[in-house]
Amino acid sequence: MSAASSFTSARQAAREAAGAQDFPKGALYMVATPIGNLADISLRTLHLLEIADRVACEDTRHTQALLRAYGLERAGDRLLALHQHNEAQAAQQVVAWLNAGERVAYASDAGTPAVSDPGARLAAAVREAGLRVVPMPGASSVTTLLSAAGCAGEGAFVFAGFLPSKAGERDAAVAALAQEPRPVVLLEAPHRIEALASSLAVLGDRLVTVGRELTKQFEEIATVPCARLGDWLAANPQRTRGEFALALHGAPAAPKTGEGERVLALLLPELPVKTAVKLAAEISGEPRNALYDAALRMKKET
């Protein structure tokens, strides 16, 4: 089955599934589009794009090609460019259409709108006008990478997006993340990935999972120490091409001040000094020599 006929079948399935869905008029639909693989679009989104009165988008040429790939050429006649340079003005046009009872979809070039792409000011303007904003979930490089990185098991993470382009400001941003115990998700463009790797190198053995060209034909995901990220990129000229998402694994928790001596005080009455010191060092992460001196002091005091 060809790609075109596959998407035609998908649209038919979407129409059938949409029978149980409500697509209210006068609402803005925030549409997540594939980040690479065209098959990563929901049936619900395909149906919405077919029935939407307008499709606002970051780049009309890109979205026109996307709609054409799904056999939705008619939707391409209803496009409005809405990007970072005209978002405030274009948002008022969208609000006017919504007040007229139209369904308006908003799609960024790739992924979920209003995260690291335009759309946040649009959604805020619509909400402030007392109108409805409906999320249409789908692809996201952030959650796609985290699902493969295995570093967000507790569910908490920080999304930092693109760090500053200037070296000094970028280095300062990295320094601010040095003690962050939660995973930190970063995004980067191919022409800046080597500079980012250079800034991250100061974090030494702290792990970073890098995702290149996620969901695309040449997708590559690897976990390396921050100090070796530059070497990993240099090992293959292709690795500096494509779009990047990175998950900086959480920093190890710093040992609590005095925790070792507290543990020692509990262990010394029951165990020999060397055994108590060994266990206290393993539990607290504090240096064994310092704990041994503290143990001798405690023994002398008692």
Side-chain angles (χ1 to χ4, degrees):
M1 181 182 291
S2 67
S5 58
S6 295
F7 287 129
T8 299
S9 299
R11 292 206 318 279
Q12 179 58 40
R15 294 189 195 101
E16 295 172 0
Q21 293 283 337
D22 181 26
F23 293 88
K25 295 183 177 181
L28 171 67
Y29 295 83
M30 302 296 280
V31 175
T33 57
I35 58 176
N37 193 315
L38 287 178
D40 293 338
I41 193 164
S42 72
L43 296 179
R44 184 169 167 231
T45 294
L46 285 175
H47 183 69
L48 181 275
L49 290 173
E50 193 167 30
I51 66 173
D53 298 291
R54 312 275 183 172
V55 179
C57 56
E58 188 175 358
D59 186 323
T60 57
R61 293 167 300 179
H62 180 92
T63 302
Q64 182 97 43
L66 185 71
L67 294 171
R68 191 179 301 117
Y70 298 128
L72 294 169
E73 290 87 351
R74 191 182 72 82
D77 297 330
R78 298 166 276 142
L79 296 180
L80 167 72
L82 190 150
H83 43 72
Q84 62 178 339
H85 302 297
N86 76 338
E87 188 169 357
Q89 179 181 357
Q92 297 310 308
Q93 176 62 75
V94 170
V95 168
W97 286 333
L98 298 178
N99 279 321
E102 296 189 358
R103 297 185 185 96
V104 179
Y106 178 70
S108 59
D109 284 350
T112 303
V115 178
S116 190
D117 291 316
R121 283 188 288 177
L122 170 64
V126 170
R127 187 189 67 247
E128 289 167 4
L131 298 165
R132 184 172 176 182
V133 180
V134 181
M136 302 288 285
S140 165
S141 60
V142 175
T143 52
T144 297
L145 180 66
L146 285 174
S147 70
C151 61
E154 299 301 320
F157 67 93
V158 175
F159 176 65
F162 290 91
L163 295 187
S165 58
K166 294 183 179 179
E169 294 177 2
R170 183 174 59 248
D171 291 344
V174 170
L177 297 173
Q179 302 304 320
E180 174 56 62
R182 297 165 295 181
V184 180
V185 178
L186 307 172
L187 303 178
E188 195 51 274
H191 65 281
R192 291 184 1 189
I193 187 62
E194 291 174 300
L196 177 61
S198 178
S199 294
L200 291 175
V202 299
L203 300 181
D205 291 335
R206 187 167 169 184
L207 296 179
V208 60
T209 296
V210 54
R212 186 183 74 86
E213 293 289 82
L214 291 173
T215 78
K216 300 177 184 177
Q217 182 179 359
F218 299 107
E219 174 184 85
E220 195 167 8
I221 301 173
T223 299
V224 298
C226 286
R228 300 295 305 276
L229 178 57
D231 295 335
W232 182 84
L233 291 169
N236 184 338
Q238 297 297 323
R239 287 180 177 166
T240 56
R241 300 180 179 179
E243 300 299 320
F244 292 86
L246 304 95
L248 181 62
H249 293 221
K256 297 179 181 178
T257 303
E259 179 68 4
E261 292 194 18
R262 187 188 71 81
V263 175
L264 264 181
L266 296 173
L267 297 178
L268 281 174
E270 309 295 335
L271 298 170
V273 170
K274 288 186 177 179
T275 304
V277 168
K278 178 176 181 294
L279 290 174
E282 292 176 353
I283 292 170
S284 69
E286 295 182 23
R288 188 176 298 189
N289 289 343
L291 290 175
Y292 187 81
D293 292 339
L296 295 179
R297 187 185 70 249
M298 290 180 186
K299 280 288 189 181
K300 184 178 180 179
E301 292 173 353
T302 58

